[in-house]
Amino acid sequence: MRVLITGAAGFLGSHLCDRFLADGHQVVGLDNFITGHADNIAHLIGQPDFEFVRHNISTYTYVAGPLDGVLHFASPASPIDYLEHPIPTLKVGALGTHNALGLALAKRARFFLASTSEVYGDPLVHPQPESYWGNVNPVGPRGVYDEAKRFAEAMTMAYHRYHGLDTRVVRIFNTYGPRMRPRDGRVVSNFIVQALAGEPITIYGDGSQTRSFCYVSDEVEGIYRLFTSGDNDPMNIGNPTEYTVKQLAEVVLDLTGAKVPIEMRPLPVDDPKVRKPDITRARTMLQWEPAVALRDGVARTIEYFRSLGPERLGARG
Ligand code: UDP
């Protein structure tokens, strides 16, 4: 197969490039580096089956040659990133998805949308099955991401129903691991980087809010299986083991051995109180479930951040 991956220099996009290449496929990677980083794909540059194009998918996009798959992973995805880039976030979910769908249709390629657990908003149903419609504030600060992804899902289903395009929609829950940007603002990267830099661990609110953290290798495996053998309906891929943010802080402090204080900060607006995927559909259809426990995944992520050195550890980019 020859596939196009948008957001190829991002955290998930770069791991996905690796996964397709490892299975003997050809990959065209596309990124505009708004939140992606060249280091994430440096090891792929010059490989015969990998091409990289620096381009913004929210503008007209042409790719020469055949494509069997278009995987749309480009988007700011961390709350502080989409607050800093609200309009590009809306555009990549809306215009970027439309361009990527149009390209898939022209090439008769399978289309794969990276959607998000944020489509469930601050959920009133727990855990969240795919059939839950969500509880999203369209005009709150997170609305730029949540509504863009909800639009992207609607657009993808329209291409499937109207044009008969073969499509996939994955709803990705909190994922962590090597190649996250050190200062991307997400809780796992923040806590580890703070611990390694000797800074206070910043807990927002009282730390009782929950998330379910999936290690990147598990997430990518689920995504790959959904692409190759899933169906057209949305699919949750995430780890159903739920932790409070406070428990995560304790795991990071324990594994790094850091003796840093905990600093309480205000809870961001519309911050979901709970989040946990119901993965019954992925279990039955894809025979998929996560294999990496939080402590193991966090230990591997700590090793990654340690290997970056102090300069990248301190940088926002
Ligand atoms: N959080 C925190 N401290 C931080 C960063 C995040 O307590 O330094 C909290 C945040 O308020 C949220 C959870 O951790 O409740 C997960 O935040 P993240 O930004 O990783 O992703 P989200 O799941 O909110 O999209």
Side-chain angles (χ1 to χ4, degrees):
M1 282 190 293
R2 182 169 185 256
V3 300
L4 174 75
I5 299 179
T6 76
F11 165 49
L12 280 179
S14 65
H15 284 285
L16 207 55
C17 290
D18 288 347
R19 180 58 212 259
F20 274 90
L21 290 166
D23 267 27
H25 303 299
Q26 294 183 319
V27 174
V28 182
L30 190 142
D31 206 294
N32 66 349
F33 295 118
I34 183 173
T35 54
H37 200 288
D39 284 359
N40 289 342
I41 47 165
H43 61 293
L44 300 180
I45 302 297
Q47 283 199 21
D49 287 336
F50 182 74
E51 291 164 65
F52 180 74
V53 184
R54 184 171 188 160
H55 180 75
N56 181 355
I57 187 69
S58 300
T59 62
Y60 175 77
T61 300
Y62 171 76
V63 173
L67 286 175
D68 305 291
V70 172
L71 295 100
H72 184 33
F73 276 71
S75 178
S78 162
I80 62 164
D81 286 337
Y82 54 71
L83 295 183
E84 191 175 328
H85 307 287
I87 294 167
T89 300
L90 280 158
K91 286 173 80 171
V92 78
L95 309 180
T97 301
H98 190 207
N99 289 335
L101 279 163
L103 188 62
L105 185 62
K107 305 280 184 184
R108 283 280 150 200
R110 181 172 291 164
F111 179 78
F112 189 106
L113 175 69
S115 186
T116 167
S117 56
E118 282 284 322
V119 300
Y120 302 122
D122 189 2
L124 306 175
V125 170
H126 194 68
Q128 295 81 55
E130 290 88 349
S131 54
Y132 178 47
W133 291 356
N135 177 39
V136 171
N137 175 4
V139 295
R142 299 173 85 103
V144 295
Y145 184 63
D146 302 9
E147 294 297 358
K149 290 293 190 183
R150 288 170 69 98
F151 176 92
E153 288 197 6
M155 188 63 124
T156 301
M157 292 311 289
Y159 265 68
H160 171 60
R161 294 193 182 109
Y162 185 77
H163 288 303
L165 191 68
D166 189 17
T167 56
R168 304 281 186 274
V169 174
V170 65
R171 292 184 179 152
I172 299 169
F173 285 65
N174 295 64
T175 303
Y176 69 98
R179 301 190 196 155
M180 296 184 91
R181 262 184 21 253
R183 302 275 172 178
D184 81 348
R186 287 177 167 130
V187 69
V188 177
S189 38
N190 263 14
F191 286 1
I192 294 176
V193 169
Q194 288 162 345
L196 295 182
E199 298 167 10
I201 301 272
T202 54
I203 290 188
Y204 303 161
D206 63 4
S208 66
Q209 70 272 35
T210 69
R211 293 295 186 271
S212 311
F213 301 102
C214 191
Y215 188 66
V216 63
S217 58
D218 284 333
E219 187 67 40
V220 167
E221 181 60 29
I223 287 167
Y224 195 77
R225 287 191 197 187
L226 176 59
F227 180 81
T228 52
S229 51
D231 66 4
N232 307 118
D233 291 325
M235 174 93 71
N236 290 339
I237 298 286
N239 191 319
T241 313
E242 194 178 9
Y243 291 86
T244 65
V245 163
K246 195 159 169 289
Q247 285 171 327
L248 176 71
E250 283 155 11
V251 168
V252 170
L253 283 173
D254 184 30
L255 292 177
T256 54
K259 303 274 176 286
V260 295
I262 285 183
E263 193 176 292
M264 308 305 265
R265 299 249 184 104
L267 195 66
V269 175
D270 295 337
D271 196 283
K273 284 176 271 309
V274 290
R275 183 180 289 153
K276 167 183 160 125
D278 178 332
I279 59 164
T280 309
R281 233 171 83 67
R283 277 199 177 108
T284 29
M285 178 168 284
L286 309 176
Q287 287 77 51
W288 174 86
E289 64 186 314
V292 181
L294 184 73
R295 287 184 69 87
D296 297 335
V298 168
R300 292 184 214 175
T301 311
I302 291 169
E303 281 321 301
Y304 168 74
F305 282 125
R306 269 198 226 276
S307 76
L308 287 184
E311 200 176 311
R312 269 227 50 207
L313 218 53
R316 259 287 272 140

